Amino acid sequence: MTIPRRIAQTLVNSLKGGVVPRIGLPYITVGRKPEIDALLHDVDIIADGGASFRFIVGKYGSGKSFLLQTIRNYVMAKNFVVMDADLSPERRLQGTRGQGLATYKELVRNMSTKTRPEGGALPLILDRWISNVQTETAAEANLAITDAALPPLVEKRIACVIASLNEMVHGFDFARLLTLYYKAHMAGDDELKAKVLKWFRGEYATKTEARMELGVNIVITDDDWYEYLKLFACFLKQAGYAGMLVLIDELVNIYKIPHSITRQYNYEKILTMYNDTMQGKASHMGIILGSTPQALEDPRRGIYSYEALRSRLAEGRFAGEHKDLLSPVIRLKALTREEMLVLVEKLANIHAELYQYEQIVTQQDMVDFIEIEFGRIGSDEHITPREVIRDFIEVLDILYQNPHVKVRELLGSDSFTYAKNEVQEAPTEEKFAEFHL
Amino acid sequence: MQDKKIIRAADWWDHAIFRDESIKKPPRAKKEKLPAPLAKARKLENGGDSRASLFLKQGRLLADYEDDYCYHGDSVRYYPTYQSLSNDELRGYFAWRTKARQGVFCPTSISFIFLYIYELINQIGVKEPLSGYEKLLEINYKYGSGERYISYYLEQWLMDYIVYYDLDKSLLADKAQVSEGQCVSVLENLADREQDEVIESVKQLAPKWLRRSKFYANHYEDMNEVIYIVLQRMAKHYDKTCKKNFAGQFFGSMYSSHIHIFSAAIFANPLERRNYEYKIDDQYIYRCANGIWTVNRRPFLPRSVRKLEDLLKTIDSIMRTEYAYGHPILAATSVKWITRIITEETRALLARKAAPAKIVPAIDLSQLARIREDAEITRDKLIVEEESDARDAEPPEKPEDEASSGQALSSLAAPELRLLQCLLEGKDIGWIQKEGHMLSVLVDAVNEKLYDIFGDSVIDDKAALVEDYIEDLKEMMLS
């Protein structure tokens, strides 16, 4: 199987640097077939107008980010818009000092499409929407784009398009702002356009400020930012996109909130999201939350401490060793040795193809490598695919430059050092310190 | 009457009992003539040479002289030379020497033994230095146990002999100073040394405590491991924080001191050494510079041994506590960082021993086919249509592949192509708004359509061409 060279290069460079590659993930995806099938099924549901809600639960290094990035790339290629944000002490789902709104701002800032994978796609989305409406109206009315008769028709069409938003919470204001954006575009008023974008990004702190600059008496707040996500999902469909996927990772930051009432408010937000998606109150929207097992299952502080969520999310008594992938919670286990072996096989092939040499690493060499990696002290608890991949690519690079060297000799020599697990071996910041009583 | 009696008694006394006698001269001893070689050697004594030089000259003259004189006396001379002996003693010496050279070692005066030793160290009657060394050993063996001064001096002179005559260093292996120095050398380079070597050196330097310790007898493997790691950590600590390294802390610094080679012996420097160096090892170097001898070494002081013994005792004490051994002892040192290291390493060892051995299950190769197949299915599901077209087509080495570039260009709408041309040629793009288009939309459309060729956006969000792709785009437009 031939991989395009640019993809192979990006893969090797990113993996060697210990980061998830931006492209080419399908070529190195090993295992996780049921999980990916479940998520792809969700994507189909979203594209059909439905909604989905999933927890991806796994320890650090189990491949959560890899899976999220894989799905992210997939849905962007499928003409979805993706919004993603990592929670932190400053970004939560709800807070008294704007921590919820901070999450919304981050999500909108990171709004991405296929051609804008790094975020900042909101202006483009709005422009594309207007352009599409103009083009369609012009085609229907058989007018030129510059025809003076076109703008009123376009405005009328826009009003029809966004009328469906009026029924939703804050839909009227959302639609007003969209109309304002269109008018600013028609008037060539870039300043007004920028103000509208500022509003969509939740950057107006007070209603007064919004009223003075835009004439609207409403701003996105900590309490209602989620409603605007639903509005976005609906609008994006109207704008020609297949749907919207929201990825929120590092849910462990809610687990770490010291005040139990604050945690409860955040869990209530999750419950709202879950209910909306499961009960059809949201459409063309998928929500995936990334969490660690402890942040989910801890009965005193985790998500399961909130009974409403626990009763909805927890496994029933019939689940055991069988995975229920129709359940909202997808648990990621560490890749097995055999899966790691297939992964390093793929890496070896990609490396050989990229640098155009005859494959020198045999299957036995790869088996030896995996055995040595898993034979390290602490590998049960601490080894992650990241370290194995970085180590293996280092081995490939050395072998490529020194073909006479044997894998076993290399792994025993001083010229090769195991990749360090930066999280485990980094000094623990005070705010992340944990203790057990 | 009375007076006459007295007078008669006095006469009787004088004549009968007590008479004058003449003093007889003792008979003259028969003077034996000295054998010619000895006489010749005696003549050298008037030459004005130094004691050592004269000794060397006489010795060389008499190197092969043999005698069978019977001498029964006991010669007691301090720093004996031929000159200091009488003729009898001289002949007596050579008679003894003749038999000694034949392997017959009779009881004799200590002066004769020292004289012989002086001959050997001056290479008198010695064919080559190694044989002289062996003869010295022989003398030490034959007479050293009976005469303690012989072994006392020979201990040092044998070492001086090896150094002066440049004999093999292996002969010094059993010398205490040398082996101690080598042990210290091991402790100076702990990071590069194996555990066995380090422990052996420690035992040699400070054997007392470990010999006595019952805990060590029962847990020698564990204690050796802890000693080894503790010494390494201490060495690192000293290297990092102190001027003196571990060896310097315990055994002092290397320094150079003046010495007299073959001190207290009659030695004439037969090889006339003026500038010379003999390196036993890095820790022990003899030098002769302009005839002045020095030795560069670490002084091995009793307190050095005591310090090391204290450390071993402290390790023993702490390990006994951690092992809950029934016979606790007091630690000999209470330096906190040292006791902390010992405690940490002991606990780490106990933890390692407690952890079950890690069993690494073998990889089940029978699963690989299924995993590979599943991975391919997943890959195909994840690759969206446009990517799969790019993958299935012959992947172009460069984006100048005409077929795919041509395809991509032809997919661009007229305004999109025009925008690309304007950007490449640096022309004004004001026509976009005039014609009712939106710049951001056109840019996005161009990026989307060329994405499969370049794998990236070719126009950034400020409507400028990405520098990396300008040349490729120009070639595409030309082709």
Side-chain angles (χ1 to χ4, degrees), chain A residues 2-127:
Chain A
T2 312
I3 300 176
R5 193 179 167 78
R6 58 174 173 83
I7 293 178
Q9 188 74 67
T10 306
L11 276 173
V12 170
N13 289 345
S14 302
L15 292 172
K16 187 160 187 185
V19 297
V20 177
R22 196 168 54 83
I23 53 173
L25 296 178
Y27 300 102
I28 55 168
T29 301
V30 175
R32 309 277 185 244
K33 181 172 175 296
E35 291 87 351
I36 288 174
D37 284 346
L39 290 169
L40 295 186
H41 180 66
D42 287 351
V43 171
D44 293 338
I45 291 172
I46 297 164
D48 286 342
S52 75
F53 185 96
R54 294 278 192 177
F55 277 98
I56 307 278
V57 176
K59 289 183 189 176
Y60 165 74
S62 57
K64 281 200 307 299
S65 299
F66 183 90
L67 188 61
L68 290 176
Q69 184 68 23
T70 302
I71 294 301
R72 187 175 186 272
N73 288 0
Y74 175 77
V75 300
M76 281 197 297
K78 285 285 207 182
N79 198 30
F80 271 61
V81 172
V82 177
M83 299 164 88
D84 58 86
D86 288 350
L87 298 186
S88 70
E90 294 77 35
R91 288 195 291 269
R92 297 173 184 167
L93 301 178
Q94 195 277 342
T96 52
R97 284 176 295 152
Q99 294 99 321
L101 186 60
T103 301
Y104 170 81
K105 287 179 186 173
E106 182 76 359
L107 285 168
V108 173
R109 194 168 23 242
N110 292 337
M111 196 182 278
S112 305
T113 60
K114 180 182 173 182
T115 50
R116 288 277 177 92
E118 273 90 47
L122 179 60
L124 171 66
I125 289 168
L126 293 174
D127 288 346

Side-chain angles (χ1 to χ4, degrees), chain B residues 121-403:
Chain B
I121 64 179
N122 284 282
Q123 301 289 276
I124 292 167
V126 173
K127 284 192 183 127
E128 39 108 29
L130 187 60
S131 70
Y133 180 76
E134 285 163 1
K135 284 178 183 171
L136 285 169
L137 285 177
E138 198 175 24
I139 285 293
N140 196 25
Y141 174 68
K142 295 290 185 194
Y143 295 104
S145 52
E147 293 285 351
R148 64 186 173 94
Y149 288 108
I150 293 172
S151 57
Y152 174 79
Y153 284 108
L154 268 179
E155 194 62 40
Q156 185 57 47
W157 291 342
L158 281 165
M159 188 154 175
D160 291 347
Y161 190 96
I162 293 166
V163 170
Y164 185 83
Y165 291 106
D166 199 18
L167 296 185
D168 195 82
K169 295 179 196 33
S170 60
L171 297 172
L172 292 165
D174 58 347
K175 300 291 174 209
Q177 312 95 298
V178 171
S179 59
E180 278 159 7
Q182 284 169 349
C183 292
V184 172
S185 183
V186 168
L187 297 186
E188 194 162 33
N189 299 295
L190 280 161
D192 301 328
R193 305 289 184 164
E194 298 291 329
Q195 180 177 311
D196 290 343
E197 203 181 350
V198 168
I199 298 300
E200 206 45 56
S201 299
V202 165
K203 281 184 181 174
Q204 205 166 334
L205 292 167
K208 285 187 188 165
W209 182 259
L210 294 181
R211 264 191 217 139
R212 289 171 51 190
S213 168
K214 275 189 189 164
F215 179 80
Y216 183 72
N218 294 327
H219 299 89
Y220 66 91
E221 280 182 0
D222 288 2
M223 196 162 162
N224 283 345
E225 198 174 326
V226 172
I227 291 170
Y228 178 60
I229 299 175
V230 165
L231 290 182
Q232 286 195 316
R233 282 187 65 177
M234 286 176 70
K236 275 185 196 156
H237 173 88
Y238 286 127
D239 287 341
K240 207 171 160 188
T241 58
C242 305
K243 281 186 184 168
K244 283 189 190 174
N245 62 10
F246 179 87
Q249 293 284 344
F250 275 70
F251 305 105
S253 305
M254 299 277 290
Y255 78 100
S256 206
S257 58
H258 287 289
I259 56 159
H260 291 285
I261 201 92
F262 296 112
S263 166
I266 305 295
F267 179 65
N269 192 11
L271 297 182
E272 294 178 5
R273 291 216 187 272
R274 292 283 302 164
N275 293 294
Y276 172 70
E277 183 179 281
Y278 186 87
K279 195 173 176 182
I280 298 173
D281 57 40
D282 290 335
Q283 301 274 335
Y284 212 149
I285 305 170
Y286 280 85
R287 287 193 183 94
C288 177
N290 296 319
I292 310 287
W293 282 85
T294 53
V295 67
N296 192 47
R297 58 173 290 197
R298 205 186 295 274
F300 195 75
L301 304 170
R303 68 165 183 263
S304 310
V305 176
R306 199 160 51 243
K307 198 169 173 181
L308 189 55
E309 293 276 4
D310 286 349
L311 176 63
L312 295 172
K313 189 178 175 191
T314 306
I315 294 174
D316 193 340
S317 166
I318 293 173
M319 284 187 78
R320 286 181 193 219
T321 309
E322 294 298 327
Y323 278 58
Y325 191 69
H327 305 279
I329 55 170
L330 276 175
T333 178
S334 57
V335 175
K336 279 191 183 156
W337 69 270
I338 295 178
T339 55
R340 179 178 53 80
I341 287 174
I342 298 169
T343 310
E344 278 172 9
E345 293 303 331
T346 308
R347 286 181 184 168
L349 175 63
L350 285 170
R352 283 196 297 276
K353 287 177 72 158
K358 188 176 169 66
I359 300 166
V360 180
I363 291 176
D364 182 2
L365 296 175
S366 65
Q367 292 185 36
L368 296 187
R370 177 191 57 78
I371 294 169
R372 285 184 194 120
E373 200 184 315
D374 285 349
E376 302 220 338
I377 294 171
T378 305
R379 181 202 67 209
D380 291 339
K381 283 182 187 172
L382 287 172
I383 291 176
V384 178
E385 211 175 63
E386 295 88 350
E387 279 189 26
S388 68
D389 289 343
R391 179 174 58 86
D392 292 341
E394 192 59 39
E397 272 291 318
K398 298 175 184 180
E400 296 92 24
D401 183 78
E402 286 187 16

Side-chain angles (χ1 to χ4, degrees), chain A residues 369 373 376 387 390-392 394-395 398 410-420:
Chain A
F369 173 82
E373 287 278 310
R376 284 159 54 190
E387 280 108 40
R390 276 167 67 182
D391 285 346
F392 190 67
E394 188 183 1
V395 166
I398 294 173
L410 178 63
L411 292 172
S413 78
D414 292 335
S415 61
F416 171 76
T417 50
Y418 291 116
K420 281 189 183 170

Side-chain angles (χ1 to χ4, degrees), chain A residues 181 184-185 188-198 204 213-214:
Chain A
Y181 188 86
H185 162 73
D189 188 350
D190 288 338
E191 197 182 323
L192 184 58
K193 279 172 82 173
K195 287 174 183 172
V196 174
L197 289 170
K198 183 180 168 184
Y204 278 104
E213 293 197 4
L214 290 169

